[in-house]
Amino acid sequence: MKTKQAVKQRFWRGMTDLRQRLGWSAKQMASHYGLPHRSVLNWLSAKACPGPQRLRELCQTFDWQYEVLFGREALKDASFESQHLNFRTITQQYLRVQPRDPLDAWSYVPVAGAMAFVKLAAAGFESRAIIDHCFGVRIQFLLPALAKVALEVGVVFGRGLIIRWLDEQGCTRETMDLSDSNLALIAKHLRSLTGS
């Protein structure tokens, strides 16, 4: 992972976490910290990241430790995460481990579900995640416009990690491989249902 990309990803995570902890909108964050609203929106949607000097200033503003988040060692950790904590790698690991140790293979399912949940939450979808008796993860949305929709992260043996679109009766409407691109398609469809 390139340094610039790692910084952008870390900054986006920090902004998302700050917003969730405070429970504020982007507008409230911008007002409280004296920042341009458009910049905060772009940072929260990962469309932009401040340059090095501005990043140091923002770390002071948000009471973040620059070296802990953006120092050389921290960025090595980000590189490790990008190599090992992505849907493709987790699916490959699941498929490799499943034939010889099915119980160990099941451990990849809730990790992938948690990753999908975090990505959807970061995209602005208020939701909750529930791990079921088969270690699948059901993501239920808290917005009234999405109350009749749910997603389920699970596996199809021999295929790998999948995500299912469930209707209000809990019936599967669509099943896709779990990937960033498919999750982006799902987010786009969810936005169309909310009218945003």
Side-chain angles (χ1 to χ4, degrees):
M1 175 184 259
K2 295 178 182 175
T3 302
K4 191 173 182 177
Q5 185 181 4
V7 168
K8 183 177 180 180
Q9 185 177 21
R10 284 254 162 153
F11 182 72
W12 169 78
R13 279 189 191 166
M15 289 296 294
T16 302
D17 179 64
L18 181 64
R19 177 183 177 200
Q20 289 174 346
R21 274 189 298 112
L22 297 173
W24 292 347
S25 67
K27 191 173 190 173
Q28 290 170 314
M29 286 179 69
S31 175
H32 178 79
Y33 290 111
L35 299 167
H37 180 239
R38 175 65 54 203
S39 293
V40 173
L41 283 174
N42 287 336
W43 296 337
L44 286 168
S45 65
K47 291 180 181 174
C49 181
Q53 182 59 36
R54 181 76 170 131
L55 185 60
R56 284 186 182 277
E57 293 168 4
L58 288 170
C59 283
Q60 290 177 345
T61 300
F62 299 140
D63 198 27
W64 295 347
Q65 295 179 18
Y66 179 85
E67 284 302 317
V68 170
L69 291 173
F70 305 106
R72 180 170 291 193
E73 289 302 313
L75 296 178
K76 282 183 188 176
D77 291 345
S79 177
F80 175 84
E81 289 173 14
S82 73
Q83 288 176 344
H84 300 287
L85 289 179
N86 62 66
F87 296 129
R88 180 181 305 148
T89 301
I90 290 177
T91 295
Q92 290 170 349
Q93 290 172 344
Y94 169 83
L95 290 170
R96 190 171 39 253
V97 170
Q98 199 282 325
R100 66 178 188 272
D101 191 350
L103 186 58
D104 188 33
W106 277 109
S107 68
Y108 293 103
V109 180
V111 170
M115 289 170 50
F117 169 77
V118 167
K119 287 177 184 263
L120 289 167
F125 297 105
E126 291 184 56
S127 57
R128 65 181 176 177
I130 302 165
I131 298 176
D132 68 20
H133 66 284
C134 293
F135 300 102
V137 177
R138 183 179 288 240
I139 300 170
Q140 297 173 327
F141 298 96
L142 304 178
L143 295 171
L146 299 176
K148 296 180 179 181
V149 174
L151 300 171
E152 186 175 71
V153 175
V155 294
V156 171
F157 291 102
R159 179 175 171 185
L161 295 163
I162 52 93
I163 188 162
R164 292 184 183 97
W165 182 281
L166 306 175
D167 65 14
E168 59 192 86
Q169 286 85 31
C171 297
T172 300
R173 291 293 172 206
E174 188 172 359
T175 300
M176 299 183 259
D177 291 337
L178 184 58
S179 67
D180 284 319
S181 58
N182 284 339
L183 205 57
L185 289 173
I186 289 169
K188 184 177 179 180
H189 187 63
L190 291 169
R191 281 191 189 90
S192 71
L193 292 175
T194 62
S196 59

